[in-house]
Amino acid sequence: MAVATHFSFPVNYVLSETSRSRVRFDRKLVRAVASGDSVAPAISEETKVKLGGSDLKVTKLGIGVWSWGDNSYWNDFQWDDRKLKAAKGAFDVSLDNGIDFFDTAEVYGSKFSLGAISSETLLGRFIRERKERCPGAEVSVATKYAALPWRLGRESVISALKDSLARLELSSVDLYQLHWPGLWGNEGYLDGLGDAVEQGLVKAVGVSNYSEKRLRDAYERLKKRGIPLASNQVNYSLIYRAPEQTGVKAACDELGVSLIAYSPIAQGALTGKYTPENPPSGPRGRIYTREFLTKLQPLLNRIKQIGENYSKTPTQVALNWLVAQGNVIPIPGAKNAEQAKEFAGAIGWSLTDDEVAELRSLASEINPVVGFPVEYL
């Protein structure tokens, strides 16, 4: 059975015109300032939301950078200068279009995951180069701690975080997350998150791939120290709605924990780019098979039709559907400038309630691929 995850390390380590009456545009969407000097574009507060109960505000949509530097799952197993320039373009165009929230992890692109270069290293380099050109540029960075079986105790969290900060060339990050639950328990890891907040190394803390019970336990443990659990990052899309079925989404809403949705366009399956005749390459082709893509076509056709009413792409419709669920921040992965610009166009407007319900109904007829197994433990 195929397993779709947002991890890039060896699997043996892992148990028409737009209708004005229907579209609400954000007129204050960020624009780059045209001038002789390099000026950082201002990010409108209307495009931001608070992350859970923390004081941190992030854009309503972020950018996932798992693919940057990776050659074990993405990039057809090859990382080169062309892909490096494309990733840099994705970073710059995201900022130019008002998206300043980037999510990475210590394992992305790392030697441990058989990658070419650390995603954190690349993101840190891009931030530095951007600030050299635009000193006022602001970037919100989220990264993650790998709960590997041999890492024990709260000290391992702080040690790993400091290594991440060195790669990112930063003194602190905005959000630090536990990438997945620990094999031997999570208490020490959660204590490490609390220590990171108290030491000023992070502004907010979160978890990832946590079940409802683990989420509640983490929330309560941090609450005792007066620290809010800001987020739970999980696999969530129109065609993968496990967070709803397992109670994770409802628990996030109840506790005031933001749900960060990774794989929000199902690793490209919801973009309309792939068909039964043209499935994705590499490992994704074993997950999103010709058979699966055949069953997906009716939904994709309707997504395309709805998008045409708004002058929006299927990708933008699929992402907007997630935002419409409330308390959800999608983080699609951008490999180039074109994708980054398209993602930015997914916010600042809204599907109707009827369209949201119709797409959910159509998607319910499709059996989803399997997500990260610990979601159900």
Side-chain angles (χ1 to χ4, degrees), residues 129 160 176 178 189 191 231 257 287 356 361:
E129 292 172 351
Y176 197 49
L178 302 180
Y189 298 147
D191 291 343
S231 61
V257 174
I287 298 169
V356 170
S361 178

Side-chain angles (χ1 to χ4, degrees), residues 37-92:
D37 299 323
S38 294
V39 179
I43 305 296
S44 168
E45 286 299 307
E46 293 182 19
T47 68
K48 292 196 170 188
V49 292
K50 281 190 67 176
L51 197 66
S54 73
D55 294 328
L56 177 63
K57 286 188 175 183
V58 300
T59 44
K60 295 177 181 179
L61 178 144
I63 297 295
V65 300
W66 171 18
S67 68
W68 295 3
D70 177 75
N71 58 7
S72 62
Y73 188 87
W74 299 100
N75 304 307
D76 295 321
F77 306 108
Q78 184 178 7
W79 182 256
D80 52 32
D81 287 343
R82 180 179 60 83
K83 289 168 184 173
L84 172 62
K85 291 176 182 178
K88 179 66 160 56
F91 175 80
D92 285 327

Side-chain angles (χ1 to χ4, degrees), residues 305-362:
Q305 291 171 354
I306 291 174
E308 288 172 350
N309 294 332
Y310 295 94
S311 297
K312 294 295 181 179
T313 67
T315 296
Q316 292 167 333
V317 172
L319 290 170
N320 195 269
W321 184 90
L322 267 181
V323 174
Q325 306 312 303
N327 192 37
V328 177
I329 301 169
I331 52 166
K335 293 193 285 186
N336 54 55
E338 182 180 9
Q339 290 179 348
K341 186 173 183 180
E342 183 179 23
F343 295 155
I347 56 175
W349 61 284
S350 299
L351 293 166
T352 67
D353 291 344
D354 286 345
E355 288 164 341
V356 170
E358 179 187 3
L359 291 178
R360 175 185 289 277
S361 178
L362 286 172

Side-chain angles (χ1 to χ4, degrees), residues 38-151:
S38 294
V39 179
I43 305 296
S44 168
E45 286 299 307
E46 293 182 19
T47 68
K48 292 196 170 188
V49 292
K50 281 190 67 176
L51 197 66
S54 73
D55 294 328
L56 177 63
K57 286 188 175 183
V58 300
T59 44
K60 295 177 181 179
L61 178 144
I63 297 295
V65 300
W66 171 18
S67 68
W68 295 3
D70 177 75
N71 58 7
S72 62
Y73 188 87
W74 299 100
N75 304 307
D76 295 321
F77 306 108
Q78 184 178 7
W79 182 256
D80 52 32
D81 287 343
R82 180 179 60 83
K83 289 168 184 173
L84 172 62
K85 291 176 182 178
K88 179 66 160 56
F91 175 80
D92 285 327
V93 169
S94 294
L95 290 177
D96 292 343
N97 285 272
I99 306 299
D100 68 355
F101 180 42
F102 295 86
D103 178 84
T104 184
E106 64 172 323
V107 296
Y108 295 165
S110 70
K111 295 252 190 294
F112 171 75
S113 62
L114 307 179
I117 183 172
S118 166
S119 171
E120 289 180 327
T121 297
L122 291 175
L123 180 57
R125 181 190 306 172
F126 296 163
I127 293 172
R128 169 170 46 80
E129 292 172 351
R130 180 77 176 199
K131 289 188 174 182
E132 288 172 353
R133 299 196 317 275
C134 305
E138 295 185 3
V139 180
S140 295
V141 175
T143 191
K144 308 182 201 72
Y145 167 85
L148 300 167
W150 53 86
R151 282 180 162 176

Side-chain angles (χ1 to χ4, degrees), residues 199-256:
Q199 293 178 31
L201 299 175
V202 300
K203 294 180 182 176
V205 291
V207 293
S208 181
N209 296 298
Y210 267 46
S211 65
E212 178 189 359
K213 182 181 184 306
R214 287 194 176 105
L215 174 69
R216 292 184 182 278
D217 289 346
Y219 176 89
E220 291 298 332
R221 191 171 187 89
L222 289 167
K223 183 181 179 181
K224 291 177 181 178
R225 297 176 67 173
I227 297 171
L229 178 66
S231 61
N232 185 17
Q233 184 177 146
V234 294
N235 187 350
Y236 188 28
S237 72
L238 177 58
I239 59 173
Y240 187 81
R241 298 180 306 285
E244 299 173 358
Q245 299 152 1
T246 60
V248 167
K249 173 68 165 64
C252 284
D253 294 345
E254 174 194 337
L255 300 174

Side-chain angles (χ1 to χ4, degrees), residues 279-310:
S281 61
R284 287 181 297 158
R286 297 193 292 272
I287 298 169
Y288 302 101
T289 62
R290 287 182 170 85
E291 181 183 6
F292 180 83
L293 292 171
T294 298
K295 296 177 181 178
L296 193 61
Q297 292 312 298
L299 173 62
L300 291 177
N301 290 338
R302 185 57 183 140
I303 289 174
K304 183 178 180 181
Q305 291 171 354
I306 291 174
E308 288 172 350
N309 294 332
Y310 295 94

